[in-house]
Each structure stands twice: as structure tokens, then as C-alpha cells.
Amino acid sequence: MKNINQTGLTWISFFSYAFTGALIVVTGMIMGDIANYFNLSISQMSNVFTCLNAGILVSILLNSWLINLISLKKQLIYGFILSIISIIGIILSKNILLFSINIFILGLVSGITMSIGTFIITTLYYGSKRGSQLLLTDSFFSMSGMIFPIIAAYLLENKVSWYWVYVCIEIIYFIIFILSVSLNFPESQDKIKYTEEIKKWNFNIILLSISALLYILGQLSFISWVPQYATEIMKIKIKKTGNLVSNFWMAYMIGMWFFSFIIKFFNLKHMFALLSGISTILMYIYIHSSTYSTMKYIIISLGFFSSAIYTIIITIASLQTKKPSAKLINIILFFGTVGTLLTFIVTSPIVNKKGLYATLICSNAFYGIVFCLSLFILINRRNKIYLKG
């Protein structure tokens, strides 16, 4: 029964990332249709979607407090109820304010769910096994990135209202709800009591936090504007554009599965530096590609080699203490979510003033900075990584 319960909890973690991934990834596909629905420009609509990212950010901040007051099971059940209410609100929205409020609530739900999913994995697994399971968990984010752009493109091509995409996404949370009702969750109150506090902020944690922010900012800035760049600059049809985004996340998912098996044989810091360096080069090549076929193969390679970066950042940070630290995990998730929040805040003005090409160049620069930070982390050998619980 213990193994069945652990497997069920692990699947909740998987689906928590799938839910958040679906919400974030489909934004670039349906943004234009929603902008037309509310009679807004693309840049104005992108700023509205900052509410989704803001909700995720606020919820991760709240999670360290909520985890002491409300059990994980109750949080997921309440989250299911709130997600239904918010999606109904999105469907019934007649003005942009009501839409923004419901998108913010949806962000709150997804952020708390993802934070719970990450904490479950770091509580159940240790050392290289933790890194492997986190990679598998994060692969469900990219699995949503592979599936939902295809679903969105299909719905839009067949003149189905854009809000049905969110109804499809809610199916994921329904599965989380069903699993949550029937499983026993770890006693988070007890876990936090004996969690080892970080008494001295080592330099690596600061670098890892900045890396998480810039990596997510670079990745989402790139993939969010790829559809617009492909259709407006490269004159590629919407179906092929959806395939580009889908190919990226498909390769991302396959990469996570691949690295989840080999990560245990390599030094995490070496892997971080290698993968971030390769990804920086591949993104540069993609931006300067002139044909659809070249873009297709490069974006697949980029998805594959960049797939493990964020999870490696979380894993290195989580192994800075002997016991799983919910606070430390939330710190990295917080900075990663700040990167998500800043995606359209940073890129919208660039799109307006400099264009889509300049926006992708900035994304490439963020990846380059992450590579430099990974080298600093590699050089700094003073901080010990705890491989056993």
C-alpha cells in the first residue's frame, strides 16, 4: 500500500506540472484570438496575461505559509473548486477586467499546485533519485507544451471559441482531484519542523536563484513570441507555427526522459554548464535561420538540450541541505516564477519599439548569462551537495 500511495503522490506531482505548463504554453497560441475578442492589441493582451504569472508568483509566496495551516490534500481539493469557478468566469467574461481577475485566480491555483508537486517529490526521494524524479515531473510541463498547442490550433482552425482550450486544460486538474481524494499525503507540518534551515546563504544559492529567473525569462520570452515571429516575419501558416511550438515541447519532454536516466552518472554542475552552453548556441542559430525546415530541426534540438536545465537548478539547490527544505524549494520556484511574470513585462516594450527579432535576441542573451552563471557555480566548489537524506 505504501508503494501504491507513493506512486499516486508522484503522479499528482506529474499532473501538477502538466496543468501549469498547459496554462502557460497555450498563451502564445490563443493570445491573438483573445485580443480580437476584447478589441485589444497583441501587446496590450500580453500585459493582461501578466495576471496569470502574477497569480503563480503570489501563490508560491503564500505556499510556505499555507503548508503549515492547510493540509496538502485540502489545498488541492480547494484548488479544484477554484479552478472550475475561474474557468466559468473566463467563459462568461464580457470585459477585460473580469477576464484578468479569473486568469489571476487560475494562476494562484496552478502556482500552489506546482509548489505542492515539487515539495512532494523532494520529500519522497533523495540524491540522484530526486533529480531523476524531478526531471520526469518537469517533463509533464513539456508534455502539455507538446499536446495543447496542437489542441489549440485544431480548435482555432475549426472556428471553435478560444475558451474551450481552458475547458480542456481543466481535465488535468480533475485527475489531480480524483487522485487527491484517495491518497494519504506526507505530514508537511512534521517535515518542516525538522527541515534544516539555511544558516548561511552560500554564493551558489544566490547564483542558482538568478539562473532560475533568467532561464525561465529567456525560455518563455522565446517560445511565447515564436508563433508571432513565424507567422508575421517568416510568413509561416498557423498550423505549421503550432507544430514548431509543439516540436519544441515534444523534444523538451523526450530530453527530460533521457536526462532522467543519465543524470545519476554525471556531476550536476558540469551538466548545468554543458546544457546551458549548447542551448545558447542553438537558440542563436534558430534566430538566424531563414527556412522552415532549418527552424524545425534547430528548435527540436533546443528543446532537447535545454530540457534539464531548470530541474538541475532546482535539484542542486535542494541538495544544499540534508533534509528537504520547503522554503529553499520555494525560493527557487519563486525566482523562476518572477521570470515567468517578467516575460511580457520585459518583452512587450521590445516588441513595440524594436520588433520581434530583437525580442528573440534578448531571449538569447538571457540564456548566455545563465551559461556564464553556471560557470561561476562550477568554479565555486566550497559548498557541499548532500546526496543522501
Side-chain angles (χ1 to χ4, degrees):
M1 289 299 292
K2 181 180 178 182
N3 289 336
I4 293 174
N5 194 73
Q6 183 176 3
T7 301
L9 291 173
T10 302
W11 275 99
I12 286 177
S13 300
F14 292 166
F15 286 121
S16 71
Y17 270 69
F19 181 73
T20 303
L23 288 175
I24 292 174
V25 169
V26 298
T27 299
M29 293 296 300
I30 63 176
M31 190 188 302
D33 290 80
I34 302 176
N36 292 333
Y37 182 81
F38 289 109
N39 295 316
L40 297 174
S41 67
I42 288 290
S43 60
Q44 287 175 316
M45 198 65 232
S46 66
N47 289 330
V48 170
F49 273 102
T50 301
C51 294
L52 175 69
N53 301 331
I56 297 173
L57 179 65
V58 170
S59 64
I60 288 174
L61 283 173
L62 290 174
N63 186 259
S64 295
W65 172 67
L66 284 175
I67 206 169
N68 292 315
L69 301 178
I70 306 173
S71 69
L72 301 180
K73 177 181 286 192
K74 287 182 178 178
Q75 286 189 53
L76 292 174
I77 292 172
Y78 295 154
F80 176 63
I81 296 170
L82 280 174
S83 64
I84 292 176
I85 293 171
S86 61
I87 288 175
I88 292 173
I90 287 171
I91 293 172
L92 299 177
S93 293
K94 299 300 180 184
N95 60 73
I96 197 63
L97 177 60
L98 186 59
F99 176 84
S100 301
I101 291 170
N102 285 293
I103 279 291
F104 177 78
I105 295 172
L106 210 52
L108 283 175
V109 171
S110 66
I112 288 176
T113 306
M114 186 175 68
S115 183
I116 289 172
T118 308
F119 181 67
I120 287 173
I121 293 296
T122 55
T123 302
L124 296 178
Y125 303 97
Y126 291 93
S128 60
K129 184 68 173 176
R130 180 188 297 173
S132 176
Q133 287 297 325
L134 280 172
L135 275 169
L136 289 174
T137 302
D138 208 1
S139 74
F140 277 76
F141 187 106
S142 53
M143 187 182 295
S144 287
M146 178 187 70
I147 295 171
F148 280 93
I150 296 174
I151 293 174
Y154 175 81
L155 293 175
L156 296 177
E157 271 197 324
N158 288 276
K159 310 301 180 183
V160 179
S161 297
W162 53 266
Y163 53 72
W164 280 101
V165 176
Y166 289 106
V167 177
C168 294
I169 293 172
E170 180 63 13
I171 295 172
I172 299 174
Y173 213 109
F174 177 70
I175 298 172
I176 294 174
F177 170 73
I178 295 299
L179 288 172
S180 300
V181 171
S182 58
L183 295 173
N184 296 317
F185 285 76
E187 294 292 332
S188 56
Q189 181 73 31
D190 294 337
K191 291 289 181 186
I192 289 173
K193 282 182 180 178
Y194 67 68
T195 292
E196 178 185 347
E197 297 294 337
I198 306 166
K199 297 179 180 179
K200 294 183 179 179
W201 274 79
N202 63 60
F203 190 50
N204 274 3
I205 294 175
I206 297 172
L207 294 180
L208 289 166
S209 299
I210 298 171
S211 297
L213 188 157
L214 293 178
Y215 170 73
I216 295 298
L217 176 58
Q219 182 195 73
L220 293 182
S221 297
F222 174 77
I223 206 65
S224 294
W225 291 108
V226 158
Q228 296 295 323
Y229 178 80
T231 53
E232 294 182 16
I233 306 300
M234 303 300 293
K235 306 301 179 182
I236 298 171
K237 293 181 179 180
I238 184 66
K239 188 175 182 179
K240 284 189 173 182
T241 300
N243 288 336
L244 278 177
V245 177
S246 179
N247 287 335
F248 174 85
W249 291 113
M250 178 187 67
Y252 204 91
M253 178 185 66
I254 294 171
M256 285 181 167
W257 292 344
F258 174 77
F259 289 114
S260 69
F261 288 108
I262 72 163
I263 194 173
K264 62 188 75 173
F265 303 111
F266 295 92
N267 182 292
L268 288 173
K269 294 180 182 179
H270 290 163
M271 290 285 289
F272 181 26
L274 177 65
L275 295 178
S276 59
I278 293 173
S279 299
T280 302
I281 295 170
L282 287 171
M283 186 178 288
Y284 178 86
I285 296 172
Y286 176 90
I287 295 169
H288 293 86
S289 299
S290 57
T291 63
Y292 174 78
S293 59
T294 304
M295 293 170 69
K296 178 181 177 181
Y297 293 120
I298 294 299
I299 205 168
I300 288 173
S301 300
L302 177 60
F304 180 83
F305 285 104
S306 65
S307 61
I309 295 174
Y310 187 55
T311 306
I312 288 175
I313 292 172
I314 295 174
T315 306
I316 294 174
S318 72
L319 294 172
Q320 299 293 310
T321 56
K322 289 183 179 179
K323 297 291 182 180
S325 172
K327 290 182 179 179
L328 179 53
I329 294 163
N330 280 337
I331 286 168
I332 302 300
L333 288 176
F334 169 77
F335 276 91
T337 309
V338 169
T340 305
L341 178 68
L342 292 176
T343 299
F344 293 117
I345 295 175
V346 171
T347 59
S348 291
I350 300 174
V351 171
N352 281 335
K353 294 181 180 179
K354 300 294 183 179
L356 292 165
Y357 174 77
T359 305
L360 298 188
I361 290 293
C362 286
S363 302
N364 197 197
F366 293 141
Y367 266 45
I369 296 172
V370 171
F371 172 62
C372 293
L373 292 174
S374 71
L375 295 179
F376 283 121
I377 293 169
L378 183 61
I379 294 169
N380 181 23
R381 302 179 182 276
R382 294 178 59 188
N383 301 116
K384 181 180 179 181
I385 289 180
Y386 296 92
L387 296 177
K388 295 182 179 180

